[in-house]
């Protein structure tokens, strides 16, 4: 049985600490990966602190994984030993329902298997995530990485990237559309890069005045400090689409007022408490509030290949695993430019 070293949360309050555990042997269609880099998603913080009420301890978080293949089962066709491979938020699903057959495994009717803190469909154990030395995964749930991209800066694409790429594609962000991105964090800065790259008139909404220059450098056509009511008012009724990535509880009404008639705000951020909504802000313009969750395996590969062709990666701060608790505190203070990525060689 491959042994694994990692960092785990042991309860909702204590800092993450070293943890050693075993993984199962890879099956015929599975690969074993030595993890090189793992991104730090705000969901890891929500999960380890049990803010969604579904924590299982010990919990090894991490679902933005880039690593090197160290073993491949005999029916594996996509990877060879030595290749780079990437793994995101889900690692299995029923593989036979309608959404699975369409390549929308994240909408699996029987429920997809999360990369960590979920029941492994193969042996019933609890999945342990990417803040660790290795991972075992079916090749269907692993992706190839364009050779021209920095593997450390690719890691955040596996969650922050696909979670913003997918809704921007679905709601047709592109030329002629005015698109707003709420929050310039891990997800938000990828949403900004994609919306700009797709040709939309892209407006970054931020609560942090200090991020204004960065937002412009990252591709925003305009930046609105969302706490400035006068600035918000100037843009009232002008947006086709808004992608809300904010991680903390917040009112939706100020953003609803920005939408045009028939506009949509799509929520991807998952604050501990849901927002309250002023119904009149919705009905008076037939506005829609929608949600979106990561993306399926084919779309995740499509996103990675798009990034390869267009030279898109995440802005990262690389940290050793020993700094993970400090990184969580900095993330809560909105003090990260714009995604922490753990260099897993620090475990060795
Ligand atoms: P992050 O890096 O911490 O960024 C969150 C950003 O939200 C902050 O940088 C901040 O941007 C903004 N923000 C914070 N408080 C706010 C408030 N009160 N009002 C408006 N904006 C506020 O977090 P992340 O990793 O991008 O994750 C964002 C959220 O998405 C989390 O809740 C996470 O769990 C969720 N998520 C969902 C999915 C999915 O599939 N739907 C996937 C991954 C993550 P400014 O400083 O610019 O205001
Ligand atoms: Zn995530
Ligand atoms: Zn399914």
């Amino acid at each position: 049985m491959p042994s694994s070293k990692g960092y785990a949360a042991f309860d909702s309050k204590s800092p993450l600490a070293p943890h050693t555990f075993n993984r199962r042997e890879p099956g015929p269609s599975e690969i074993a990966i030595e993890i090189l880099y793992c991104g730090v998603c705000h969901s890891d913080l929500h999960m380890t602190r049990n803010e969604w009420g579904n924590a299982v301890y010990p919990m090894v978080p991490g679902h933005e994984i880039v690593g090197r293949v160290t073993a491949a089962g005999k029916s594996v066709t996509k990877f060879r030993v030595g290749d780079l491979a990437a793994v995101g938020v889900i690692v299995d699903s029923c593989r036979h329902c309608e959404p699975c057959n369409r390549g929308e495994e994240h909408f699996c009717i029987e429920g997809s298997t999360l990369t960590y803190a979920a029941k492994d469909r193969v042996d019933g154990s609890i999945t342990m995530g990417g803040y660790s030395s290795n991972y075992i995964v079916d090749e269907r749930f692993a992706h190839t990485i364009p050779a021209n991209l920095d593997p450390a800066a690719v890691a955040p694409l596996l969650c922050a990237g696909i979670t913003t790429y997918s809704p921007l594609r679905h709601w047709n962000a592109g030329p002629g559309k005015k698109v707003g991105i709420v929050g310039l964090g891990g997800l938000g800065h990828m949403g900004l890069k994609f919306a700009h790259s797709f040709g939309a008139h892209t407006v970054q909404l931020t609560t942090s005045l200090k991020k204004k220059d960065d937002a412009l450098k990252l591709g925003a056509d305009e930046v609105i400090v969302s706490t400035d009511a006068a600035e918000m008012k100037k843009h009232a009724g002008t947006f086709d689409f808004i992608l809300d990535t904010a991680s903390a509880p917040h009112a939706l009404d100020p953003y609803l007022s920005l939408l045009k008639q028939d506009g949509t705000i799509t929520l991807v951020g998952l604050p501990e408490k849901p927002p309250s909504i002023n119904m009149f802000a919705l009905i008076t313009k037939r506005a829609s509030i929608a949600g979106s969750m990561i993306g399926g395996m084919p779309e995740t590969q499509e996103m990675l290949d798009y990034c390869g062709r267009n030279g898109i990666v995440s802005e990262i701060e690389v940290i050793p695993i020993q700094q993970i608790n400090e990184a969580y505190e900095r993330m809560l203070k909105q003090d990260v430019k714009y995604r922490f990525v753990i260099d897993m060689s620090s475990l060795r």
Side-chain angles (χ1 to χ4, degrees), residues 63-84:
H63 58 207
E64 294 184 335
I65 298 170
V66 166
R68 199 168 287 288
V69 177
T70 54
K74 55 179 185 299
S75 65
V76 169
T77 56
K78 220 159 69 177
F79 299 97
R80 283 195 304 202
V81 170
D83 287 350
L84 287 176

Side-chain angles (χ1 to χ4, degrees), residues 3-331:
S3 77
S4 189
K5 274 205 290 194
Y7 264 54
F10 293 90
D11 57 59
S12 65
K13 299 252 166 4
S14 317
L16 271 64
H19 181 49
T20 305
F21 55 98
N22 288 325
R23 296 199 185 271
R24 57 180 166 72
E25 295 291 343
S29 61
E30 292 183 323
I31 55 173
I33 298 170
E34 179 198 9
I35 301 177
L36 302 175
Y37 298 103
C38 185
V40 178
C41 179
H42 206 113
S43 299
D44 301 342
L45 194 156
H46 292 307
M47 282 287 288
T48 53
R49 298 187 180 183
N50 200 21
E51 291 177 5
W52 298 331
N54 59 347
V56 195
Y57 302 105
M59 182 193 299
V60 176
H63 58 207
E64 294 184 335
I65 298 170
V66 166
R68 199 168 287 288
V69 177
T70 54
K74 55 179 185 299
S75 65
V76 169
T77 56
K78 220 159 69 177
F79 299 97
R80 283 195 304 202
V81 170
D83 287 350
L84 287 176
V87 179
V89 177
I90 63 171
V91 290
D92 209 349
S93 67
C94 85
R95 309 186 199 185
H96 54 67
C97 71
E98 262 187 50
C100 282
N101 286 337
R102 278 200 303 271
E104 293 190 311
E105 298 89 343
H106 54 315
F107 298 139
C108 175
I109 287 167
E110 293 181 18
S112 52
T113 305
L114 297 176
T115 306
Y116 64 87
K119 195 170 165 194
D120 187 323
R121 280 179 148 83
V122 177
D123 68 1
S125 63
I126 297 298
T127 55
M128 299 283 181
Y131 295 8
S132 63
S133 50
N134 54 13
Y135 208 90
I136 310 292
V137 67
D138 191 284
E139 65 168 338
R140 173 170 177 165
F141 294 86
H143 311 280
T144 59
I145 298 172
N148 59 322
L149 301 179
D150 168 15
V154 163
L157 301 178
L158 277 298
C159 175
I162 185 62
T163 302
T164 50
Y165 180 95
S166 181
L168 288 166
R169 283 293 196 215
H170 183 80
W171 277 276
N172 299 315
K177 296 276 179 72
K178 182 168 171 179
V179 170
I181 308 289
V182 177
L184 190 62
L187 267 60
H189 91 290
M190 290 312 308
L192 170 56
K193 287 188 181 205
F194 285 132
H196 170 71
S197 173
F198 298 164
H201 182 85
T202 306
V203 183
Q204 181 67 47
L205 293 124
T206 178
T207 59
S208 311
L209 181 62
K210 61 175 191 260
K211 294 182 184 171
K212 208 166 176 172
D213 289 345
D214 278 357
L216 292 168
K217 278 188 215 133
L218 292 170
D221 295 293
E222 294 178 77
V223 182
I224 304 175
V225 177
S226 51
T227 47
D228 181 334
E231 229 182 299
M232 290 286 274
K233 204 166 174 191
K234 273 192 258 164
H235 291 263
T238 62
F239 281 78
D240 297 282
F241 181 70
I242 295 176
L243 186 65
D244 183 346
T245 77
S247 55
H250 58 288
L252 278 193
D253 300 343
Y255 304 111
L256 287 172
S257 69
L258 297 178
L259 291 175
K260 274 183 187 167
Q261 187 197 309
D262 294 317
T264 299
I265 180 164
T266 293
L267 312 180
V268 287
L270 291 163
E272 208 174 344
K273 290 193 193 77
S276 66
I277 298 151
N278 173 357
M279 303 299 286
F280 287 92
L282 275 182
I283 65 167
T284 51
K285 54 174 89 161
R286 200 165 50 196
S288 301
I289 300 177
S292 186
M293 178 187 137
I294 50 169
M297 298 307 104
E299 193 176 36
T300 303
Q301 189 65 59
E302 174 193 308
M303 178 272 311
L304 287 165
D305 296 343
Y306 180 88
C307 288
R309 286 195 306 279
N310 294 281
I312 294 174
V313 284
S314 172
E315 305 297 308
I316 58 170
E317 280 192 51
V318 177
I319 56 164
I321 188 117
Q322 292 76 10
Q323 282 174 19
I324 187 62
N325 295 301
E326 193 189 326
Y328 277 10
E329 292 313 313
R330 282 187 53 201
M331 188 154 61

